[in-house]
Amino acid sequence: MRITSSYIYQKNLSDYQSKMYAYSKINEQLGSGLKIGQSYDDAGIYSEHIRLDYELSTFDQIIQAGESAVSFTKNSDNAVKQIKDALVSFKNKLIQSANEIHSDTSLNALANDLEKLKEHIVNLTNTSINGQYLFSGTSINTKPFDYNGNYYGNDENMKVLLGSNVYTPYNVSGSELIKATDNDYKKIVTTNVRLVDKRYDITKPEQVHYITSDNKIQDLVGKNYLKKESKDELNVNDHFLINDGAKFPDTYFYVNGTKGNGESFKAKFQMKATESVGSLLDKIGELYGNTKENTLVKVELTKTGNIEITDLKNPNSTLNFSMFAATNKADSIEEIYPDKAAQTDAEIEDIKNKAEGGAENTPMVNLKPAIKKNYADVSSLADLRAAQIKDNVDILEFTNNGNIDTSFNTDGIDYARSLFNKKDNILSSNIRQYDANNNLATDSTRLSESALSALKYHDDGNADTNSVLKIDITSRSKTRYNLEFDITKGEVRASFTKNGQAQNITLPIVNSRYDEALHKDESTKTDNIDITYKQLSDVIALFASDNVPTKSYELQDKYPNQVNSPKILSDDDNKEYQQLLQNAKNTLKVGLNNEGKLQIIDKASTNTPIDIAIYDKNAMSENEFDFGTDADGNKISTGVKKGNIFNFNTNSSLIVDENHVDIIKDLQTMIDAVRNGNYRADNNNPDYLKNPGIQAALTRIDHLFDHVNKVHTKIGATQTSIEANNERATAMHLNIEIVKSSVSDADPALAVIGIQEIMQTLQSTMYVTSQIQKLSLLSYM
């Protein structure tokens, strides 16, 4: 019996201790508010607690990052809204200036106002909050724009966390805001020569009549049908009448162009003097692919005599246009009106009256036979400019933007041989380069992807039919280099005079790389299909900076006696070439800029002496002013042929609007138009040659506003999206806290009940234990 009592005692004591431990745990829960204090208390609860803590931390980051991104987008939204407001004010000033009633003083005042608005816009693009620039991409510590519109940020996006490994961009780079592409806009180009009716004395303002589509080709030439030394003069009252017996020579039109799809062409066609200008516009449209069933381009005349062409089909159009016309001149009026002397004054008056009455087929009066002059065929003249200088041919320009050609003339005859535009220490081309997908080309783009006509890749031994670019360079030392960049043969041939000695060298077009196996740099001959703009730029840099090899480079087999071994420069030639190239790059920066235009920056000069022209070797024949050959080397006759394989800098049409925008630079072009009072493109004033004018600016400013409005809408949509995501993240955060509370938090009510249960059990245990302690041997007797 004593054993049994002892067992009961020990059991009660054990229960007591267990309940006291449970009591202690419940007290800990009441004190901490958690179900467990240590991980070993309950591994399941602990694991779930840690997982939910991680989720809460993630949503905390999402909410915090979202709030920061929303603040950033709100500031960006406000800045872009102010840019829109400034553009509205800018347009209102343009509309004011478009009224041709302003004095020079008034126009200058308007231009000054526009300058201030432009300056305000530039300042807005450079907005910074807490030291971070809003429109610099991820380069938030870099001021994005200078006053000229040059961009120094990057195109990368800052991203905000929306969920586990889910990010979205929330900034707008300066490139997207100011320099971008809108594929919903059509390209419109304009000639910069105002066509006037030259039957009148155009030196007198009251006699200036702009050409319409109803005018005739003879109206374009007018008084210029006669040579200057002729004692006679044509006039609108006595000549150019319907069926008045005039023997005006045909006019030949010469066209260089690029279609919207990137196809380059040349064309020559003739028109009779009595054909309409509207027919001329139709012929131009046909060159760009127009048919009776399908209109690819719209060709029309403005009220001020400019030809405008709109690409209706290609959103990323490469449309370009250049044209001039040539017409033989007569020595005397008798050559044009051979029978005029046989007509009486009464007969002439009768013809005039019938013409004024609108008779289309007025019968000819009886005329005495006369000798008709046999004009030289303009289409076969070898040198149009020489004929023009001798006053044998009238040259009518339609496009002439003042580019100086390689013979240092400025006219619309030369299309592609013009020198790059030079400003201070920067030389720039005026034609954007595109790849095969109509994206702006970069230095790494292959020339084969950007050619406007088919390149020739296989040499048949006749260099004249190769795909060759001529590069004429005046270097920093004023040395003249004549280069042939032969894509077909994969080599550069250079001729120049140095120290009084004529020199000729040939360099293979190579690509430099490091050979990991041989542990050395090598220059390997590049396949002609893989030649890039960078390699073209490297060649330009070498010669423009006078870092010219002293001899021709020969290629050798990388692996002697091995079939199809790669061709490389020798170690000595490669070492010299790499050093010369590095020296050149220390002096010049050559390459395509962010507009796809070839640019040369002279780092060592503020006013560079360098000049450069790049053009298709077949752009002109050996006679430098001949209209030339097509891309295959065939002489151009009347008809349409392949055009140049590349165009870098041309005397061509001006851009009224296109899908690419460059807002700050576009605004400056508009300001220049207002300051100079340039209503429309006009070649009569040097300030107007490259400027499409105020009227074109009104078209362009609407595009700029629409572009900024799209960016503004995008920012608003991004802000709304992030705010919505933040609301969702906040709700999810609350839900997880509730789940976490149910998993980890102690329930005070249950804890109190548990304590009460433990206390009752303890009291019962203590009572039983006290009763056992009272037992003695007498209790069992």
Side-chain angles (χ1 to χ4, degrees), residues 346-404:
E347 289 172 330
I348 294 174
E349 188 64 28
D350 183 54
I351 291 172
K352 287 170 58 179
N353 291 335
K354 290 178 179 179
E356 290 171 1
E360 291 296 330
N361 297 298
T362 305
M364 293 293 297
V365 297
N366 294 325
L367 302 175
K368 294 180 180 179
I371 299 174
K372 178 182 177 183
K373 176 174 179 176
N374 293 319
Y375 293 106
D377 183 3
V378 173
S379 68
S380 64
L381 288 177
D383 193 338
L384 287 173
R385 184 174 285 130
Q388 180 188 27
I389 292 172
K390 292 178 182 179
D391 203 30
N392 291 327
V393 172
D394 175 62
I395 299 294
L396 173 62
E397 296 176 331
F398 291 79
T399 50
N400 178 8
N401 50 25
N403 290 344
I404 300 173

Side-chain angles (χ1 to χ4, degrees), residues 172-276:
V172 171
S173 71
S175 180
E176 182 181 357
L177 175 62
I178 300 299
K179 302 170 179 282
T181 299
D182 299 316
N183 287 328
D184 55 340
Y185 274 82
K186 297 176 175 62
K187 186 170 186 178
I188 306 171
V189 299
T190 180
T191 59
N192 67 338
V193 177
R194 296 185 183 186
L195 302 178
V196 295
D197 191 335
K198 292 182 180 176
R199 295 175 299 170
Y200 297 88
D201 184 357
I202 61 174
T203 62
K204 300 176 180 179
E206 68 276 8
Q207 292 193 35
V208 173
H209 303 278
Y210 292 115
I211 290 291
T212 70
S213 59
D214 294 328
N215 280 103
K216 300 186 183 303
I217 300 300
Q218 63 188 23
D219 303 342
L220 293 171
V221 183
K223 294 176 179 292
N224 292 338
Y225 278 115
L226 279 176
K227 293 181 179 179
K228 293 179 181 178
E229 65 267 20
S230 174
K231 65 181 187 301
D232 304 311
E233 183 177 340
L234 295 167
N235 66 79
V236 71
N237 294 317
D238 298 324
H239 309 104
F240 306 102
L241 305 176
I242 297 174
N243 295 330
D244 66 353
K247 307 296 182 183
F248 291 118
D250 291 348
T251 297
Y252 285 80
F253 294 86
Y254 300 77
V255 180
N256 272 290
T258 305
K259 297 180 181 179
N261 62 4
E263 179 185 341
S264 178
F265 69 91
K266 290 181 177 180
K268 182 189 292 185
F269 58 88
Q270 69 186 99
M271 296 188 71
K272 296 186 178 300
T274 54
E275 291 188 73
S276 71

Side-chain angles (χ1 to χ4, degrees), residues 257-259 265 284-290 296-297 319-321:
T258 305
K259 297 180 181 179
F265 69 91
I284 293 171
E286 290 170 7
L287 294 177
Y288 286 91
N290 283 357
L296 301 182
V297 298
L319 179 73
N320 198 13
F321 172 74

